[in-house]
Amino acid sequence: MQTSTKALSGAVADIDDLHHEKLLKAIFNLSLWNFGPDVIDALLELIVSLAASNGKHVDSCLDMLVSNFTPPNKVLDMLKQPRGLEKKERVLPRVHAALKNISELVPMAASRLSSIVLEQMPWKSKRNVDQWSMKRQLIYVENMFKLESGAIREFVGANMLKDVMNVLRDLDVAIGWDDILHDDSSKGVFMIELEDENYADGDEDADADGKLPSTLSEKSLSKNLTAELLDSLMVQTFEHLESSVSNKRLSEVFDTLLSSFKDTVLNTYKSKFTQFVMFYACALDPEHCGTEFASELIDMFVGGHNPLTSRMSAVAYLASFLARGKFLPPAFVASYLGRLVDWCWQYCVMHDGDMNPKLHQVFYSGCQAMMYILCFRMRLMVEIPLLKSQLFCMPIDKIFKHKLDPLKVCLPSIVEEFLKQAKAARLFTSSKTFVFEDLLVSNLSRDFGGLERLDMFFPFDPCLLKNADRSFIRPNYVYWKYVRTTYHEDIDDDDEEDGSDGEVEGAAEFDDDMEEVIISRSYGDNDLEMDEFDYAMNKMSITPRNNSSAGLRMPSRIRPSMSPESL
Amino acid sequence: MEGLSVVQANLKVYVDPSQSKNLSSAIFRELSALLFKYNDAFHGVLLAYNVHAPENKGRILPGVHPFIAVRLEAKLLVFSPKPDMLLEGKVVKVTEESIHVIVLGFSSAIITDEAIRNEFKYKTKHGQGLYVNRSNRRHVIKAGTMIRFVVKSMNEETLHIYGSLMPANTGSVKILEKFSEHMNTESVTINSTPKKRRSKEKYEVTTQITEHGSIVKDAPSQNHYDREIKKSRRS
């Protein structure tokens, strides 16, 4: 095999694509995974020579190399075993080296490679995921990341990243809300962040009594192969981001991710988890990536030329990001909050009209974003004198007392929580009395939210993908449960956990079952039992049980949009 | 190097109405999509363009899908190698069977051993393949050498060029130019053919870019040519 292949390499100029069609087909159908290193080298030399000798062979050569990103099924099965790993190390680096060689000899080949990689993707949207397609997709995406960071990244890197983001989004959208939420319309819209107590006992037949679980559940998702694939791909993506940090390429990667996010994820309201790629990238480099992300979102919101729904979506992302990003310092949050408040106030000055949810959608979404951020961050900000004075100088009360009356229009649950905290902090007290009756939505908020229900869009709600959340998101994430509000009295020092570095702590009352769980310990600590943490989280209720002022639930999980199916 | 020409073109670009706020970037985007692709209207590969800033005016063409048609003038740099033209490129790989060359950084060319004159002999030195001229040992072609070769043919779809090193005026550019200087400094009377004069005649191609971005050539309005043949020397 080796000898004949080398002989063919010497005669590539004489190989005719018509007369030697069968020979070429036989060569291009070979799987490198079936051969030893010497034969692989000889075959790849032939492929490179073919591509360089005749432009007509370039596409077929690239096709052949890309098809070798995934091994045959028998090798796929043992990829995690030493034998499989050894084969992988034998084949894939050589394949990528051959792609590099072809790009050097035929510069225009690189522009063809991106589309060929996309065409050969194992999983396409609107297809079911099975175990085989999952394994193939995982190794395929691993190769895409290799291309993104490899020698020819200049030509194909950006496209690889965008294609991966598209795959994540497609998988995300394919996970229907029905898969993870059995909605009981009699219950209200917002549910607690995680499982309800019926599942805490691990009772698989919790619905045996006829009551369907009415909450979002990691357990529900774990039975879903699409979710499992998405989870694994998200982990791969996060690991790739981490390696970009080591290679000092994160800012370059982030630029592409941001562009892809604006094009494909921002306006995909069914996207539940894909956006956490941006979240994690910002967590890895808050100073640059975090700033760039927040700036892009605020610019998109204030940019009057942008479509209405994009602006509303951008401000929802901004609010959720500033609220949930544990890695964002209070001063950072204050600065973007200030820009948001300024815009809202300018809007009030320019519009002297009365309340009209449909006409002033963008304004109400801005106000709701302000309140949402303050619900999470007000306490932190008032504890720092400089930020407190900045906060108190913002024209917040003027905005909320304006004729446009945002307090009446915005989501009642957010308004209620905001008013309570603002009163406790002496930031703002409403002269009107709002009776929400524990409502989470109102007709007015529905009006300003529009068809896409952007009034209930909180894109960085807790991530339910187990592995992605546990190892990557959780250490960087603010859970509502652990937010100290302005009306909570601090508990005794002995009971308080050590919260260093400005981390948000849970000062709220704990359930009895959680007392032994240490929450704010570093997640890198080996002593931390993740299962214990999960168990505790599973039993967690967003409403502190022993809190007499309980009854206020932050809208931490939104109901799926009732609008017609849209991407 | 032959094969490069600057062409003055009158273009019509159809812009989607959603791009009307930023007409310039829409036009640049349309034109950039044509770069490094063979184009029938231009008879070659568009390498670069220089567009006169369009006025913010365009006719709105009504229809099911209305577009804004913008007329503009552009100078286009076109690469159109023809058989028997002399091209220059950088050698990237030398094997016993072939020499692989990259021309202008994007077009790949191959010169098979059959198209290399017998003067050159293949050798291996330090694991690297190279061709050495038997009569001038300094005349070496190896990876990294800039060479001049003759075009045998070109595949317009793939921009793949088939070249030849048969003629005596082909080979390493450095050696050929040294040889040429040497010939000029000697007082030898050479019967030379008259140099080509640069023509100042005008060549206008009226083209249209259809809504799908492809170029459709209209009948030329005048039958004159304004060619500025640029010598491009690869650094």
Side-chain angles (χ1 to χ4, degrees):
Chain A
M1 180 80 178
Q2 189 180 347
T3 314
S4 52
T5 310
K6 282 188 172 176
L8 272 175
S9 298
V12 285
D14 299 317
I15 296 178
D16 181 78
D17 50 324
L18 282 173
H19 293 116
H20 304 118
E21 188 187 343
K22 282 186 181 171
L23 172 65
L24 287 169
K25 202 172 171 184
I27 293 169
F28 293 137
N29 283 339
L30 287 171
S31 173
L32 299 171
W33 295 82
N34 298 330
F35 300 108
D38 294 337
V39 177
I40 294 176
D41 287 337
L43 274 170
L44 290 175
E45 198 187 315
L46 171 60
I47 295 292
V48 171
S49 302
L50 272 171
S53 67
N54 189 337
K56 289 181 188 173
H57 296 317
V58 171
D59 276 6
S60 306
C61 293
L62 294 178
D63 270 330
M64 187 266 189
L65 290 173
V66 172
S67 70
N68 277 280
F69 279 179
T70 50
N73 284 349
K74 60 178 182 194
V75 179
L76 204 60
D77 229 1
M78 58 169 176
L79 266 185
K80 290 196 176 157
Q81 295 167 25
R83 223 162 34 117
L85 280 171
E86 185 265 325
K87 280 199 184 226
K88 193 172 142 185
E89 284 309 308
R90 188 200 307 163
V91 173
L92 292 180
R94 287 177 162 87
V95 167
H96 284 272
L99 286 169
K100 176 185 166 243
N101 290 341
I102 290 179
S103 301
E104 283 171 357
L105 295 173
V106 188
M108 299 306 285
S111 62
R112 292 287 305 132
L113 183 57
S114 302
S115 48
I116 287 171
V117 169
L118 185 60
E119 274 164 27
Q120 290 208 29
M121 187 87 72
W123 181 82
K124 303 260 186 339
S125 65
K126 298 188 182 164
R127 274 195 205 168
N128 288 331
V129 175
D130 56 39
Q131 288 290 344
W132 288 114
S133 64
M134 190 153 64
K135 288 179 187 175
R136 265 185 237 115
Q137 185 71 7
L138 284 171
I139 192 166
Y140 198 84
V141 168
E142 189 184 324
N143 280 287
M144 290 174 76
F145 282 135
K146 272 199 176 79
L147 282 174
E148 193 281 324
S149 55
I152 54 173
R153 63 178 180 272
E154 191 185 336
F155 309 107
V156 301
N159 285 336
M160 292 300 108
L161 269 179
K162 287 179 182 174
D163 290 341
V164 169
M165 284 290 274
N166 288 342
V167 167
L168 294 178
R169 179 211 55 200
D170 290 343
L171 283 166
D172 197 344
V173 166
I175 302 170
W177 281 106
D178 291 338
D179 295 330
I180 50 178
L181 170 63
H182 297 275
D183 192 17
D184 181 348
S185 58
S186 66
K187 286 198 176 183
V189 174
F190 292 108
M191 304 301 174
I192 59 177
E193 275 192 346
L194 290 174
E195 300 173 335
D196 79 26
E197 56 189 304
N198 286 335
Y199 257 6
D201 300 329
D203 184 356
E204 296 288 335
D205 297 323
D207 59 347
D209 62 357
K211 256 190 184 177
L212 293 174
S214 60
T215 57
L216 298 171
S217 161
E218 274 192 5
K219 278 192 182 164
S220 309
L221 265 188
S222 67
K223 292 173 189 168
N224 185 313
L225 281 178
T226 309
E228 197 181 325
L229 175 57
L230 178 61
D231 193 11
S232 303
L233 288 175
M234 292 282 285
V235 169
Q236 254 184 349
T237 309
F238 293 152
E239 284 167 352
H240 181 71
L241 289 176
E242 285 173 350
S243 75
S244 303
V245 172
S246 330
N247 298 335
K248 299 190 168 89
R249 291 188 55 237
L250 184 64
S251 60
E252 176 192 327
V253 170
F254 188 78
D255 287 343
T256 309
L257 285 179
L258 187 57
S259 160
S260 174
F261 168 81
K262 286 193 302 187
D263 289 340
T264 61
V265 180
L266 178 71
N267 291 316
T268 305
Y269 309 114
K270 287 171 96 173
S271 172
K272 301 167 278 297
F273 314 120
T274 309
Q275 51 268 32
F276 279 97
V277 173
M278 305 303 296
F279 187 91
Y280 190 63
C282 293
L284 289 173
D285 186 4
E287 195 183 333
H288 296 113
C289 298
T291 306
E292 206 177 325
F293 188 52
S295 299
E296 197 64 44
L297 291 172
I298 191 82
D299 288 345
M300 204 177 292
F301 172 66
V302 306
H305 57 280
N306 291 318
L308 188 72
T309 47
S310 298
R311 295 174 72 187
M312 291 173 70
S313 182
V315 81
Y317 266 99
L318 181 69
S320 204
F321 177 63
L322 294 177
R324 299 288 194 172
K326 200 185 222 175
F327 46 88
L328 298 174
F332 180 99
V333 175
S335 118
Y336 285 95
L337 178 68
R339 281 186 68 180
L340 192 54
V341 171
D342 284 343
W343 183 90
C344 289
W345 174 234
Q346 288 303 316
Y347 193 95
C348 289
V349 166
M350 288 195 310
H351 295 84
D352 202 29
D354 288 325
M355 176 185 77
N356 188 329
K358 286 184 182 169
L359 185 61
H360 305 294
Q361 282 176 293
V362 179
F363 169 72
Y364 292 121
S365 63
C367 290
Q368 182 164 296
M370 272 164 51
M371 289 191 278
Y372 189 81
I373 295 166
L374 283 169
C375 287
F376 278 81
R377 301 289 195 163
M378 197 185 301
R379 174 80 183 248
L380 275 177
M381 286 172 69
V382 299
E383 281 177 350
I384 301 170
L386 179 64
L387 296 184
K388 183 178 178 179
S389 66
Q390 275 180 19
L391 183 63
F392 276 70
C393 287
M394 294 182 193
I396 291 174
D397 60 337
K398 289 183 192 171
I399 294 169
F400 290 126
K401 286 176 178 167
H402 192 267
K403 280 195 283 184
L404 288 169
D405 214 349
L407 293 176
K408 230 183 215 175
V409 176
C410 294
L411 219 51
S413 54
I414 295 183
V415 172
E416 202 174 341
E417 176 65 23
F418 167 75
L419 286 176
K420 198 168 169 215
Q421 288 206 42
K423 187 179 177 182
R426 297 196 182 94
L427 173 65
F428 167 73
T429 307
S430 171
S431 53
K432 299 177 192 175
T433 311
F434 292 90
V435 179
F436 293 115
E437 293 174 351
D438 217 23
L439 268 181
L440 291 162
V441 289
S442 67
N443 288 334
L444 293 172
S445 73
R446 213 187 300 265
D447 282 341
F448 101 75
L451 271 180
E452 297 299 337
R453 297 309 307 274
L454 290 172
D455 57 318
M456 292 162 56
F457 184 45
F458 306 100
F460 289 118
D461 277 347
C463 181
L464 295 180
L465 299 175
K466 190 172 161 195
N467 297 316
D469 176 52
R470 185 184 278 193
S471 308
F472 299 93
I473 302 297
R474 201 174 281 180
N476 300 293
Y477 193 79
V478 174
Y479 287 91
W480 172 244
K481 169 70 177 174
Y482 303 111
V483 169
R484 286 186 305 144
T485 58
T486 54
Y487 50 78
H488 270 134
E489 290 180 9
D490 287 334
I491 58 180
D492 289 342
D493 287 344
D494 291 343
D495 293 340
E496 207 171 86
E497 297 305 333
D498 182 31
S500 56
D501 304 323
E503 285 181 350
V504 175
E505 295 180 42
E509 287 84 343
F510 284 71
D511 290 335
D512 290 341
D513 298 318
M514 289 177 65
E515 277 179 5
E516 294 176 1
V517 178
I518 298 170
I519 305 299
S520 62
R521 202 192 296 179
S522 160
Y523 290 98
D525 193 322
N526 290 332
D527 291 335
L528 180 63
E529 292 291 340
M530 296 309 292
D531 289 339
E532 268 184 30
F533 182 81
D534 277 347
Y535 177 71
M537 293 294 281
N538 289 344
K539 290 200 51 101
M540 186 181 76
S541 167
I542 197 172
T543 306
R545 293 223 176 114
N546 298 327
N547 189 345
S548 59
S549 62
L552 293 165
R553 287 176 288 166
M554 278 305 294
S556 61
R557 175 54 66 188
I558 60 169
R559 184 193 203 137
S561 170
M562 300 301 281
S563 65
E565 291 287 311
S566 60
L567 183 66
Chain B
M1 187 176 94
E2 296 172 340
L4 283 171
S5 54
V6 176
V7 174
Q8 195 80 22
N10 294 328
L11 304 175
K12 196 187 286 181
V13 179
Y14 294 95
V15 176
D16 192 277
S18 64
Q19 310 294 319
S20 57
K21 270 193 178 164
N22 199 345
L23 217 53
S24 304
S25 65
I27 288 166
F28 292 143
R29 211 176 309 128
E30 281 293 332
L31 290 175
S32 295
L34 304 175
L35 289 173
F36 298 106
K37 286 178 190 152
Y38 185 85
N39 195 291
D40 286 329
F42 304 141
H43 303 294
V45 180
L46 180 62
L47 297 184
Y49 59 83
N50 187 6
V51 173
H52 299 298
E55 300 172 5
N56 279 329
K57 285 181 191 173
R59 287 183 64 189
I60 298 172
L61 303 179
V64 175
H65 298 290
F67 279 88
I68 303 170
V70 181
R71 286 182 183 273
L72 43 93
E73 291 177 7
K75 254 189 196 172
L76 307 173
L77 178 63
V78 175
F79 177 56
S80 48
K82 300 277 185 293
D84 299 328
M85 272 188 181
L86 274 172
L87 295 184
E88 291 174 13
K90 189 173 183 180
V91 174
V92 286
K93 187 177 175 186
V94 177
T95 66
E96 196 169 357
E97 295 84 22
S98 58
I99 297 174
H100 298 268
V101 185
I102 304 286
V103 178
L104 296 177
F106 76 95
S107 180
S108 56
I110 182 170
I111 304 165
T112 57
D113 54 348
E114 293 158 355
I116 302 172
R117 58 187 186 272
N118 287 335
E119 256 181 15
F120 286 102
K121 187 182 171 188
Y122 178 76
K123 279 187 174 175
T124 315
K125 195 174 179 185
H126 305 306
Q128 203 189 19
L130 45 92
Y131 275 89
V132 181
N133 192 304
R134 286 173 220 254
S135 35
N136 179 1
R137 307 296 284 179
R138 284 189 182 174
H139 194 165
V140 172
I141 296 175
K142 60 182 180 182
T145 309
M146 286 295 295
I147 64 166
R148 191 175 290 153
F149 63 94
V150 161
V151 176
K152 277 170 61 178
S153 64
M154 177 176 166
N155 184 317
E156 290 159 2
E157 203 182 305
T158 58
L159 305 181
H160 211 90
I161 299 172
Y162 300 91
S164 167
L165 284 174
M166 293 301 255
N169 60 344
T170 57
S172 165
V173 169
K174 196 171 158 187
I175 301 295
L176 290 172
E177 283 181 351
K178 264 190 191 166
F179 179 71
S180 169
E181 270 175 31
H182 177 72
M183 291 296 286
N184 285 339
T185 54
E186 285 186 0
S187 309
V188 178
T189 307
I190 300 169
N191 292 325
S192 60
T193 54
K195 286 184 186 175
K196 276 189 181 176
R197 287 176 191 261
R198 289 190 181 177
S199 167
K200 295 285 181 188
E201 295 159 40
K202 284 190 181 172
Y203 171 58
E204 282 191 15
V205 175
T206 305
T207 64
Q208 284 185 354
I209 301 176
T210 67
E211 61 184 284
H212 299 295
S214 58
I215 303 291
V216 176
K217 184 193 156 194
D218 284 346
S221 54
Q222 295 173 24
N223 196 19
H224 298 285
Y225 294 86
D226 176 21
R227 274 191 174 193
E228 290 179 28
I229 297 174
K230 285 188 178 181
K231 280 192 181 181
S232 81
R233 291 174 185 274
R234 299 266 327 255
S235 59

